Amino acid sequence: MLKPKTVIALTAVTALALGGCSKSEHLKSLDANLINDSIPAGTDFYEHVTQRWQEAHPLTAEYSRYGQFNVLNDSSEARVKDIITGLAATNPEPGTVAFKVSTIYNQAMDSARRNAEGAAPIRAGLDKIENTPHEGMADLFLWFQKEYGSPFMGAGPMENMVNSDEYAMYLSGGSMGLNDRDYYLENDPRNTEVREAYRKLISSQLTNAGFSADTAARIMNTVMEIETAMARDAKTREESRDIQAMYNPRSFESLKKDYPAVPWDRFFVETMDIATPIDTIIVTDPKSMARANALMSTLTDRQIKDYYLWKYVSGASGYLSDAFADASFEFYKVLSGAQEQRPRWKRALSATEGAMGEAVGQLYVEKYFPESSKQYMLGLVENLRTALGQHIDSLTWMSDATKARAREKLAAFTVKIGYPDKWKDYSSMEIDPEKSYYDNMHEVSMWHTRDMLSKWGKPVDRTEWGMTPQTVNAYYNPLANEIVFPAAILQAPFFDPASSDAENYGGIGVVIGHEMTHGFDDQGRHFDAKGNMTDWWEPQDAEAFKALTDKLVKQFDAVEVLPGLNANGAYTLGENIADQGGLRVAMTAFLNSQKQKGVDVATARIDGFTPAQVFYLNYANLWAQNIREAEMRSLTQGDVHSLGKNRVNVTLRNIGPFFEAFSITEGQPMYRPAEERVTIW
């Protein structure tokens, strides 16, 4: 990801490539006035391109970071707000999609009603948990699993990693409220600060829910004990990237033997309405599942109930009164550094899109996404596909046998652009304005759970999308071998039909190459052309790949993000490989396109810049942002993407044509000797 059919025929779209530099002598996506020559390109290329942009876009209290993605997201949010408020103005008929969307948004905006209700919407659930007798604890577990997802474990169908045409049943140990184990186990100042903020959050929300201070303190201590125990057996950040280690098939009988604390004979029937026996279950993390079993076996009823009470309150807090929202934000302030909550309308939009994102997306596409943009993108994708094939053919570290299989996978990429061919049907989702906001959003959650569980026993639906059209992002799904580009990212500075090819290839072209390269990164390389996890590499090629990626890991490990805090090259490896591959492949595709059009890139100029310079300048421009120190720490600890500055400076220092474009030579900080550069794809 840039934050899971039929392959388009090459001959059908190559003629649709964008116009050459000769059609435009001026920049459009890139503002030349923001290039800061007082910081030479060879000193700090990121600051050379983005420093003036940063000055022009100071962080407001709402944001922990603000960059080009946020600019586009703001545009997308404004459009979606216009769509949703417009629906409400039509006084839609009850039961229609427009009625459901409007009701969710209006209830999210109605803080007066939620403040008056307080914790009343969750009182029945809290009473159920509290009043369950000992002999009903198994029933309580199954109820919680079905309605909210047990905090001790999770299960559900997903594409089978070794046969992606069918769904498999996956099982995993429970998740922690603080998603990274270090927050619980490490005692340095930052992890301690976040841990203490989490303790405060738990106590505050339980008090908001009506518990006494003493009871809230007891529950908080129980939660921290349980989640710290989970953290001890949780995967490290680096281990979480070992996708092969996630495939651990178990028979139903072995589940009963290995994890006896779970009432397995009732589990799938009562929580998923699956009556037929399930022969095989994939355990994604046996160690975490063993810990969950041990906790469920040894904790007292009181401890288990306390944990359920917190998880229930935590899951509901986003749909209750302002007191709950304020407490959540106090924790988020520590985590991210943001000083002010997002406006209520933005929070309401997020909730509405989370509930019925494709319904909103369908309207978004009709109003804001021209078919011509899709056709342009098809041409760009095929040019990038051709270029990546050229790169595969020219690799010196890969054997011909593995190259042939890589080519087969490349040819099989499915391309999805703009919006789904088939939209979700929300007709069975029941939204009632007489019910509380919490009750309606619980129905939304249950609808999505039922939708997910309905896949069991059916062929995999390859038409589904993992993002809505109004999302400013893109992704690669290894289990479908597909690259997906939602409509909202197809805007400047990523893409503009009126911009020069150099800008578009340095923008959306790199994004396309990035997602394609994910098919061959340290995780994607384990999946074949059909999306099945299999070893299609010759052993010596896998060893050569590992040697190269180890060098890339060390390059990022060496970067000090903040005093005492270095980047994590192993955790961000996949994205770093994709960034580098995207840049290399997009430049080749760009040069190919100019050659086909007879453009001499050596003499062409765009506002005085060479096309190659414009290409790299716009790439750096994509990552322009301001960011708070707390957010830098959180992202370094928990995000598989490198920080924007490193995505520019560290990555470009491996690319020879970049040095040539800006005459960067030995002795300048951006320079890296040829023998130290890493070239993978």
Side-chain angles (χ1 to χ4, degrees):
M1 189 177 293
L2 189 71
K3 179 144 156 58
K5 309 147 189 107
T6 305
V7 177
I8 303 299
L10 177 62
T11 55
V13 293
T14 50
L16 297 170
L18 295 170
C21 297
S22 59
K23 80 174 175 70
S24 172
E25 295 180 351
H26 300 286
L27 297 170
K28 189 172 189 298
S29 296
L30 182 68
D31 186 349
N33 294 319
L34 295 181
I35 306 300
N36 189 353
D37 290 328
S38 67
I39 304 175
T43 299
D44 186 328
F45 191 69
Y46 180 78
E47 295 298 329
H48 172 69
V49 178
T50 70
Q51 192 256 348
R52 286 180 177 165
W53 187 97
Q54 294 169 28
E55 292 176 352
H57 298 82
L59 278 176
T60 60
E62 173 188 346
Y63 291 97
S64 58
R65 54 174 160 156
Y66 191 85
Q68 295 281 24
F69 279 84
N70 300 94
V71 172
L72 289 191
N73 192 62
D74 285 349
S75 171
S76 180
E77 283 184 327
R79 290 172 169 181
V80 170
K81 180 184 180 183
D82 180 64
I83 289 170
I84 291 177
T85 54
L87 289 177
T90 65
N91 193 25
E93 288 291 325
T96 63
V97 166
F99 178 83
K100 295 171 186 177
V101 168
S102 299
T103 298
I104 293 171
Y105 180 79
N106 289 337
Q107 287 199 321
M109 291 293 292
D110 189 358
S111 59
R113 175 180 172 179
R114 294 204 309 281
N115 289 338
E117 291 171 339
I122 63 172
R123 177 51 52 196
L126 294 174
D127 290 343
K128 180 179 178 65
I129 295 169
E130 188 63 41
N131 297 328
T132 296
H134 174 73
E135 59 272 18
M137 291 301 288
D139 294 332
L140 181 65
F141 165 78
L142 294 169
W143 169 78
F144 207 96
Q145 173 68 36
K146 183 179 180 68
E147 296 286 325
Y148 309 102
S150 170
F152 292 106
M153 52 165 287
M158 189 184 78
E159 295 93 331
N160 191 331
M161 283 195 271
V162 299
N163 181 7
S164 61
D165 288 329
E166 67 178 23
Y167 290 106
M169 185 62 66
Y170 288 82
L171 176 70
S172 61
S175 61
M176 303 162 289
L178 298 173
N179 291 327
D180 188 88
R181 68 197 300 270
D182 286 1
Y183 286 130
Y184 298 90
L185 305 179
E186 299 296 328
N187 293 316
D188 58 88
R190 173 58 178 172
N191 287 309
T192 300
E193 178 189 31
V194 171
R195 188 164 61 241
E196 291 308 308
Y198 184 50
R199 288 177 179 273
K200 181 179 178 181
L201 170 69
I202 297 170
S203 297
S204 297
Q205 297 294 46
L206 290 168
T207 302
N208 289 334
F211 293 94
S212 69
D214 287 345
T215 301
R218 184 199 74 216
I219 295 173
M220 179 270 292
N221 287 326
T222 299
V223 170
M224 293 305 297
E225 289 174 7
I226 292 172
E227 294 190 354
T228 301
M230 288 181 172
R232 294 190 185 100
D233 288 302
K235 290 185 176 183
T236 64
R237 294 188 289 276
E238 296 79 11
E239 289 171 340
S240 70
R241 290 196 50 75
D242 186 351
I243 199 162
Q244 291 178 298
M246 294 174 61
Y247 195 80
N248 303 284
R250 298 286 190 274
S251 68
F252 185 74
E253 290 305 314
S254 70
L255 272 191
K256 296 170 68 175
K257 176 177 177 294
D258 295 340
Y259 314 118
V262 178
W264 293 112
D265 288 324
R266 301 172 58 191
F267 181 83
F268 294 108
V269 175
E270 296 187 30
T271 67
M272 300 185 188
D273 298 321
I274 297 174
T276 56
I278 298 176
D279 297 328
T280 303
I281 297 92
I282 312 302
V283 181
T284 61
D285 186 357
K287 192 175 180 182
S288 289
M289 192 60 210
R291 170 58 66 182
N293 180 78
L295 287 168
M296 293 175 68
S297 301
T298 58
L299 293 173
T300 65
D301 289 357
R302 179 70 271 160
Q303 289 172 310
I304 291 174
K305 287 182 179 181
D306 282 356
Y307 198 35
Y308 285 160
L309 288 170
W310 161 240
K311 288 298 184 180
Y312 182 66
V313 170
S314 176
S317 62
Y319 314 117
L320 299 172
S321 69
D322 283 343
F324 288 90
D326 293 344
S328 294
F329 181 69
E330 287 302 310
F331 171 70
Y332 180 69
K333 280 170 64 175
V334 174
L335 205 61
S336 69
Q339 300 301 305
E340 186 177 281
Q341 287 194 66
R342 300 172 68 216
R344 193 179 303 278
W345 70 266
K346 289 188 177 182
R347 287 178 275 152
L349 282 184
S350 294
T352 308
E353 292 191 86
M356 302 181 69
E358 282 198 15
V360 176
Q362 189 170 3
L363 298 171
Y364 180 96
V365 167
E366 290 173 0
K367 190 170 184 179
Y368 296 111
F369 186 66
E371 184 65 21
S372 58
S373 291
K374 186 169 187 174
Q375 294 305 314
Y376 273 133
M377 276 292 290
L378 290 173
L380 283 170
V381 167
E382 294 311 325
N383 288 346
L384 267 292
R385 195 197 302 256
T386 298
L388 181 50
Q390 292 174 275
H391 281 239
I392 291 171
D393 290 344
S394 65
L395 292 176
T396 58
W397 56 267
M398 180 177 278
S399 68
D400 289 342
T402 305
K403 285 181 182 180
R405 298 180 197 120
R407 274 287 210 162
E408 179 185 358
K409 180 172 184 177
L410 175 63
F413 273 148
T414 296
V415 181
K416 294 179 176 178
I417 296 171
Y419 52 89
D421 293 327
K422 182 175 70 176
W423 299 97
K424 282 188 179 296
D425 178 4
Y426 294 99
S427 59
S428 61
M429 182 184 289
E430 297 182 3
I431 302 298
D432 183 352
E434 297 301 315
K435 292 183 178 180
S436 70
Y437 180 44
Y438 167 76
D439 286 331
N440 278 320
M441 292 307 285
H442 180 59
E443 161 59 18
V444 166
S445 176
M446 293 302 295
W447 185 92
H448 283 282
T449 298
R450 292 191 298 270
D451 183 58
M452 180 266 293
L453 294 177
S454 70
K455 299 174 183 179
W456 183 251
K458 299 176 183 177
V460 169
D461 184 357
R462 303 273 185 185
T463 68
E464 285 194 322
W465 277 50
M467 288 180 178
T468 63
Q470 62 272 30
T471 301
V472 183
N473 214 320
Y475 69 94
Y476 170 75
N477 177 3
L479 293 169
N481 195 29
E482 65 182 8
I483 50 177
V484 186
F485 307 96
I489 199 172
L490 303 181
Q491 304 176 65
F494 293 92
F495 171 78
D496 189 329
S499 293
S500 67
D501 277 2
E503 291 167 281
N504 281 319
Y505 275 92
I508 199 65
V510 177
V511 175
I512 295 167
H514 174 104
E515 301 307 337
M516 285 183 171
T517 307
H518 269 314
F520 305 96
D521 69 14
D522 62 315
Q523 290 184 323
R525 78 172 194 84
H526 294 292
F527 295 83
D528 65 14
K530 295 182 179 180
N532 297 326
M533 188 169 68
T534 184
D535 188 2
W536 51 272
W537 290 54
E538 295 298 310
Q540 69 272 20
D541 299 328
E543 292 175 5
F545 178 85
K546 181 67 163 55
L548 289 169
T549 59
D550 284 348
K551 292 180 180 178
L552 192 61
V553 167
K554 290 179 181 178
Q555 287 184 4
F556 281 85
D557 281 347
V559 177
E560 189 175 47
V561 173
L562 291 168
L565 177 67
N566 280 47
N568 188 330
Y571 190 48
T572 57
L573 178 59
E575 297 297 332
N576 297 335
I577 292 171
D579 280 343
Q580 186 189 117
L583 276 160
R584 293 185 187 281
V585 173
M587 175 55 81
T588 297
F590 169 66
L591 294 175
N592 288 346
S593 72
Q594 302 309 287
K595 184 177 180 180
Q596 291 170 1
K597 297 166 188 171
V599 177
D600 183 357
V601 295
T603 59
R605 293 293 182 271
I606 309 171
D607 278 345
F609 296 100
T610 70
Q613 289 174 330
V614 170
F615 174 95
Y616 292 116
L617 288 169
N618 201 37
Y619 171 72
N621 179 43
L622 303 182
W623 302 109
Q625 70 171 353
N626 283 301
I627 182 168
R628 300 186 193 276
E629 182 176 307
E631 181 76 342
M632 292 175 70
R633 291 187 181 278
S634 292
L635 293 176
T636 300
Q637 186 158 332
D639 191 354
V640 296
H641 302 82
S642 294
L643 295 175
K645 184 168 185 173
N646 295 338
R647 298 184 78 161
V648 175
N649 283 356
V650 182
T651 301
L652 287 175
R653 292 184 67 214
N654 287 299
I655 297 177
F658 164 71
F659 299 126
E660 296 169 8
F662 292 92
S663 302
I664 296 172
T665 58
E666 188 172 359
Q668 294 180 288
M670 284 297 300
Y671 184 79
R672 191 190 300 278
E675 64 273 14
E676 296 179 9
R677 299 172 199 165
V678 177
T679 301
I680 301 176
W681 298 104

